């Protein structure tokens, strides 16, 4: 059974998920996919398809996280959240330390290759075709991505309510997708993947401390 949530859990969940998703998505492969597609097709259609895919993966991820939380005794959940947050935060910091300076360029090249492969097989001339192309590319790329793990781990935290997490996660995805589609060329060359990984890692270590405090109280 889930423990009762404090009145401000929705605000905390919204702020935490908005920050975590924004940091995870900026400079990600799906960010560059939306950027590249928007340069070839109408920006509105690309946004609709990409955001729909991110919404679908978000619902799957939240379902997995909350399902895991419901299967375990309420006394174990804060310890699980602390371990997951600490492990994920530590991995992000470790990956940042080993990361090349041009990591964002590597992500962009991989995204460009994926888009080119799809567009070499078919012509996407109608709005629905572009929406479907953006949906399929982003959905596949997002599965198993660090953003999906971010959402799953956030859902395991006992202090975060579903509504707040859903709203914050979707707001973060909408913000980053909007930036990719309408300001991608300007912001794409200014992204430091190493800095984003470090900020994300630090944020998850902070989440781990909060969960540990809940587990000990």
């Amino acid at each position: 059974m889930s423990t009762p949530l404090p009145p401000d859990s929705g605000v905390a969940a919204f702020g935490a998920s908005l920050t975590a998703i924004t940091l995870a998505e900026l400079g990600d492969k799906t960010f560059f996919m939306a950027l590249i597609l928007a340069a070839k097709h109408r920006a509105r259609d690309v946004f609709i398809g990409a955001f729909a895919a991110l919404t679908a993966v978000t619902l799957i991820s939240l379902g997995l996280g909350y399902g895991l939380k419901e299967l375990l005794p309420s006394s174990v959940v804060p310890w699980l959240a602390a371990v997951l947050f600490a492990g994920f935060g530590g991995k992000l910091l470790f990956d940042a330390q080993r990361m090349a300076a041009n990591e964002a360029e590597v992500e962009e090249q991989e995204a460009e290759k994926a888009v080119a492969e799809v567009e070499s097989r078919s012509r996407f001339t109608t709005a629905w075709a572009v929406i479907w192309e953006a949906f399929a590319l982003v959905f596949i790329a997002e599965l198993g991505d660090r953003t999906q793990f971010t959402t799953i781990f956030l859902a395991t935290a006992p202090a975060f309510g579903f509504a707040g997490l859903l709203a914050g996660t979707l707001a973060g995805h909408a913000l980053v997708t909007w930036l990719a589609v309408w300001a991608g060329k300007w912001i794409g060359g200014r992204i430091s993947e190493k800095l984003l990984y470090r900020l994300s890692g630090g944020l998850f270590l902070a989440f781990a401390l909060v969960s540990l405090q809940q587990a000990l109280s």
Side-chain angles (χ1 to χ4, degrees):
M1 293 293 291
S2 298
T3 55
L5 296 173
D8 61 347
S9 65
V11 177
F14 180 85
S17 56
L18 173 62
T19 305
I21 293 300
T22 301
L23 290 175
E25 273 295 294
L26 276 173
D28 198 22
K29 186 187 295 184
T30 53
F31 171 89
F32 286 113
M33 279 181 175
L35 184 158
I36 293 164
L37 287 170
K40 299 172 177 286
H41 307 289
R42 189 161 59 173
R44 185 190 67 183
D45 299 335
V46 174
F47 178 88
I48 292 171
F51 184 66
L54 293 169
T55 300
V57 176
T58 293
L59 293 173
I60 294 170
S61 304
L62 289 176
L64 291 172
Y66 272 91
L68 178 62
K69 185 163 63 173
E70 289 296 323
L71 288 173
L72 298 172
S74 58
S75 59
V76 175
V77 172
W79 292 103
L80 172 67
V83 170
L84 291 176
F85 285 152
F88 194 51
K91 182 181 184 304
L92 288 172
L93 293 175
F94 179 73
D95 289 345
Q97 194 65 28
R98 302 171 56 199
M99 191 173 289
N102 65 336
E103 189 68 24
E105 295 178 18
V106 174
E107 292 280 355
E108 184 174 8
Q109 289 169 3
E110 290 180 359
E112 194 166 357
K113 181 179 177 182
V115 172
E117 286 179 358
V118 170
E119 298 212 332
S120 67
R121 297 194 296 265
S122 303
R123 292 188 64 189
F124 299 90
T125 55
T126 67
W128 282 112
V130 172
I131 290 171
W132 172 247
E133 178 191 14
F135 179 92
L137 280 168
V138 171
F139 183 86
I140 293 170
E142 192 71 5
L143 291 176
D145 194 42
R146 77 176 188 270
T147 314
Q148 185 181 29
F149 284 111
T150 295
T151 308
I152 293 172
F153 294 159
L154 285 171
T156 65
F160 294 157
F162 179 83
L165 276 183
L166 178 63
T169 301
L170 293 183
H173 281 308
L175 172 62
V176 176
T177 306
W178 182 88
L179 289 173
V181 169
W182 280 286
K185 287 298 182 183
W186 179 83
I187 199 173
R190 293 168 172 79
I191 290 174
S192 169
E193 282 283 279
K194 183 174 290 191
L195 175 60
L196 292 172
Y197 266 65
R198 285 174 174 167
L199 290 173
S200 295
L203 183 64
F204 272 92
L205 291 182
F207 291 159
L209 290 175
V210 172
S211 296
L212 183 60
Q213 184 181 32
Q214 290 177 328
L216 294 172
S217 61

